[in-house]
């Protein structure tokens, strides 16, 4: 089955910040999308990668578009509030149905991620271009496949604890910074039938998404987050008459969730 990926980019810093324009002249979304195409092809994964932007969000994240999306990566920062509430709810509903979601860097404040976490998602931060080291703490996880230990990001915005998220179902990476802070930088959650992987390296002022090691993490993540081979529908509440499981109805005993 072809893995259908949508790379959502806010695409605001790239329009107004000369430094960001120099690093990502075609946008961060373009670099992420091309890296996924290249690495997945090299891995033998058949994939279709499309770009979705805030400027075309009504179309690119429509009901129809999301119904045909297996994994959605999300980068946003300065325009979280410009994402319509109904689209955020649409994304959350699709995650519950089985779509994978990969929030990146400051997407910890995105509407879909906050709704899925149910917390403030607040954290400490300092942007002084310090070194970040991304340490693998779960080497058996598929997202850590082929990833150096540690990944060294020469310059990056510091994100530090406390990070107000629920306890992750699994923790794949922890970062340390030159200033002494640590951060849960690669956290896995399951919501409904869907998988969520939050990955923090990727401030717009530094060429983080051009690093091969970071691209490897993203390629691993979209493969891991793809829907499992189950019907893409949430578990429903239904009336259960007494003895329904004894198999004396036309559906028999087996009930597929």
């Amino acid at each position: 089955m072809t893995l259908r990926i949508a790379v959502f980019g806010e695409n605001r810093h790239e329009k107004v910040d000369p430094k960001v324009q120099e690093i990502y002249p075609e946008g961060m979304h373009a670099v992420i999308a091309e890296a996924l195409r290249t690495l997945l092809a090299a891995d033998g994964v058949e994939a279709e990668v499309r770009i979705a932007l805030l400027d075309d969000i009504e179309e690119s994240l429509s009901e129809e578009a999301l119904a045909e999306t297996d994994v959605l990566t999300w980068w946003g920062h300065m325009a979280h509030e410009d994402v319509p509430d109904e689209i955020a709810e649409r994304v959350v509903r699709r995650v519950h149905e089985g779509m994978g979601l990969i929030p990146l860097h400051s997407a910890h404040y995105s509407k879909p991620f906050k709704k899925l976490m149910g917390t403030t998602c607040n954290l400490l931060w300092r942007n002084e271009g310090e070194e970040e080291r991304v340490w693998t703490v779960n080497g058996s996880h598929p997202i850590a496949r082929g990833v150096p230990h540690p990944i060294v990001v020469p310059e990056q915005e510091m994100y530090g604890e406390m990070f107000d998220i629920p306890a992750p179902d699994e923790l794949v990476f922890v970062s340390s910074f030159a200033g002494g802070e640590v951060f849960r930088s690669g956290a896995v959650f399951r919501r409904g039938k869907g998988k969520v992987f939050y990955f923090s390296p990727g401030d717009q002022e530094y060429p983080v998404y051009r690093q091969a090691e970071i691209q490897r993490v993203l390629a691993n993540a979209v493969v891991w987050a793809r829907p499992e081979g189950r019907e893409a529908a949430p578990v429903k509440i239904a009336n259960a008459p007494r003895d329904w499981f004894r198999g004396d109805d036309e559906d028999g005993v087996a009930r597929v969730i």
Side-chain angles (χ1 to χ4, degrees), residues 70 91-101 116 169 188-197 224-228 230 233-234:
D70 296 318
V91 170
V92 169
R93 184 169 63 252
R94 279 291 293 127
V95 171
H96 288 158
E97 292 173 350
M99 182 183 74
L101 179 66
L116 288 163
D169 295 323
V188 164
F189 306 88
R190 288 180 178 265
R191 293 294 184 267
K193 294 183 179 180
K195 303 173 186 176
V196 179
F197 174 63
W224 167 82
R226 72 190 309 169
E228 298 175 355
R230 297 191 291 170

Side-chain angles (χ1 to χ4, degrees), residues 23-70:
I23 299 171
Y24 298 109
E26 297 180 359
M28 281 177 282
H29 51 275
V31 172
I32 293 170
E34 186 56 33
L36 291 176
R37 293 188 188 103
T38 301
L39 287 174
L40 293 175
D43 291 344
V45 177
E46 184 177 340
E48 295 176 356
V49 183
R50 67 181 180 91
I51 289 173
L53 300 176
L54 184 56
D55 288 338
D56 62 20
I57 195 170
E58 296 286 353
E59 179 180 357
S60 62
L61 296 186
S62 66
E63 292 277 7
E64 296 76 14
L66 284 176
E68 297 181 353
T69 300
D70 296 318

Side-chain angles (χ1 to χ4, degrees), residues 137-138 141 168-174 183-188:
V137 294
N138 187 351
H141 198 285
D169 295 323
E170 296 179 272
L171 194 58
V172 184
F173 303 111
V174 171
F183 188 70
R184 289 169 289 171
S185 54
V188 164

Side-chain angles (χ1 to χ4, degrees), residues 64-164:
E64 296 76 14
L66 284 176
E68 297 181 353
T69 300
D70 296 318
V71 181
L72 172 63
T73 71
W74 189 290
W75 197 100
H77 187 192
M78 64 189 297
H80 294 310
E81 292 305 312
D82 293 345
V83 174
D85 289 341
E86 60 268 26
I87 292 181
E89 293 286 356
R90 186 181 302 160
V91 170
V92 169
R93 184 169 63 252
R94 279 291 293 127
V95 171
H96 288 158
E97 292 173 350
M99 182 183 74
L101 179 66
I102 316 292
L104 301 172
H105 191 56
S106 46
H108 68 92
Y109 270 151
S110 66
K111 288 182 179 180
F113 186 65
K114 291 178 69 175
K115 289 177 182 292
L116 288 163
M117 295 299 103
T119 57
T120 68
C121 298
N122 289 340
L123 47 75
L124 297 181
W125 65 276
R126 178 180 60 255
N127 194 0
E128 296 181 0
E130 301 169 72
E131 181 185 88
E132 175 181 2
R133 298 196 176 200
V134 184
W135 304 90
T136 300
V137 294
N138 187 351
S140 64
H141 198 285
I143 295 177
R145 179 180 62 86
V147 176
H149 178 68
I151 300 173
V152 178
V153 181
E155 292 182 296
Q156 169 64 350
E157 180 180 23
M158 185 280 293
Y159 274 6
E161 300 289 346
M162 280 288 297
F163 184 19
D164 185 22

Side-chain angles (χ1 to χ4, degrees), residues 209-223:
Y209 293 122
R210 295 193 179 277
Q211 283 193 230
E213 307 95 324
I214 299 298
Q215 293 177 357
R216 169 46 59 193
V217 171
L218 299 184
N220 290 350
V222 295
V223 172

